[in-house]
Amino acid sequence: MGGGTHHVHGGGAGHGGWEVLVPAVGLVLLAGVYLVLVHRARARNPAPRSGRWRTVSFLSGCALLGAALLPPLAPFAHGDFRGHMVQHLLVGMYAPLALVLGAPLTLLLRTLPAARARRLTGLLHTRPVRVLAHPVTALVLSTGTLPALYFTPLFNATTNQPVPHHLLHAHFLLSGCLFAWAIAGPDPAPSRPGVPARLVVLGVAVAAHATISQLMYGGFLIDVRAPVSQVRGGAEIMYYGGDLAELLLAAALVATWRPARQRPRRPVPRSAPRRVAGPQQVSR
């Protein structure tokens, strides 16, 4: 930890304009594509009651991304580590959960022709996707990369460079979506284990976030060029904000859990009792 602000991006007013325009246009396009798919799905088959809630959830995820990547939070995050941590939580935890609960994959499968839908389903069951979509892999890519970011010079190296900084945001978003999908997504997942195993993985994520934030608050192993007050404030935001996000993820896991239906066992027909032949009557 050091003195001064934690980072300031270079560039003039034009650069700042692009910093606002690009994410704003991207989010509008993302929301627009989703709404077009919703319209096509409803035209083919009326959506169930849960369809409205999924639409609200996905659009809420887009709004959370907008809050994180646009003013006033984005400029604040560029100059204060506490703002960075709020941005990190929104991009990497809260927005991904809302986007995943929108079930975009299921919506896409409902709108594709049958042949393309089968090809997409087959792609989901390929070995690389099965490995990538496993909760343990998602945990390593999302939570497991935090020590490499905050306990090495990597964070300081990305803050003054716009391209690495945007790549970092992309990593937060994609890995967060992957983790939320693997743990509690309503979309089909090819290698999703049972609920107890997913709860264990979620518990590991909770413990990892708590440990990293406590080390950050105490100034152990942390390599972030920012005032101590900012680093401690960011650690508190990570601790309490991360707990709330993971509590919401656990609630989503319970809400989207569908117990496996067991086929009713057919009653085993009992063999008819054999008649015991009695003594034959003697005809008179």
Side-chain angles (χ1 to χ4, degrees):
M1 294 182 289
T5 57
H6 96 97
H7 70 282
V8 177
H9 286 294
H15 178 75
W18 284 109
E19 289 285 328
V20 174
L21 182 62
V22 172
V25 172
L27 290 173
V28 170
L29 289 176
L30 180 64
V33 169
Y34 186 89
L35 291 176
V36 169
L37 292 178
V38 168
H39 177 73
R40 291 182 178 179
R42 289 178 178 176
R44 289 190 173 187
N45 186 20
R49 293 180 180 179
S50 61
R52 294 182 180 179
W53 291 109
R54 289 180 175 180
T55 302
V56 170
S57 178
F58 191 89
L59 295 181
S60 299
C62 294
L64 289 172
L65 281 177
L69 301 176
L70 299 174
L73 179 56
F76 174 61
H78 285 183
D80 194 300
F81 185 72
R82 292 164 294 189
H84 159 80
M85 194 56 68
V86 173
Q87 195 178 50
H88 169 201
L89 290 177
L90 290 176
V91 174
M93 301 186 76
Y94 288 95
L97 177 58
L99 293 173
V100 166
L101 291 180
L105 183 59
T106 299
L107 181 63
L108 181 61
L109 289 173
R110 288 180 58 197
T111 57
L112 287 176
R116 294 183 178 179
R118 284 193 296 268
R119 284 198 293 268
L120 178 57
T121 304
L123 178 64
L124 291 176
H125 288 83
T126 58
R127 184 173 182 82
V129 176
R130 292 176 66 89
V131 172
L132 183 65
H134 196 277
V136 174
T137 307
L139 174 67
V140 172
L141 292 175
S142 57
T143 307
T145 56
L146 295 181
L149 177 63
Y150 296 119
F151 297 162
T152 71
L154 180 61
F155 176 78
N156 298 318
T158 60
T159 53
N160 292 323
Q161 302 295 329
V163 173
H165 186 70
H166 297 324
L167 291 177
L168 183 63
H169 283 166
H171 168 76
F172 283 155
L173 177 61
L174 295 178
S175 62
C177 288
L178 181 65
F179 187 70
W181 174 44
I183 295 296
D187 283 328
S191 56
R192 182 180 290 156
V195 171
R198 283 182 277 162
L199 286 175
V200 169
V201 174
L202 183 57
V204 173
V206 172
H209 272 111
T211 302
I212 294 170
S213 59
Q214 289 172 354
L215 290 173
M216 184 181 295
Y217 187 86
F220 299 105
L221 303 176
I222 188 69
D223 189 359
V224 174
R225 296 174 185 171
V228 175
S229 60
Q230 290 188 17
V231 174
R232 287 186 172 179
E236 291 178 341
I237 293 171
M238 182 180 184
Y239 185 86
Y240 294 108
D243 279 354
L244 178 59
E246 284 151 349
L247 182 62
L248 293 174
L249 185 57
L253 171 58
V254 174
T256 57
W257 174 45
R258 296 293 181 267
R261 296 181 179 179
Q262 296 182 351
R263 295 181 180 180
R265 296 181 179 179
R266 295 180 180 179
V268 180
R270 297 180 180 180
S271 56
R274 296 180 180 178
R275 292 184 178 181
V276 180
Q280 296 181 355
Q281 296 181 353
V282 181
S283 59
R284 295 180 180 178

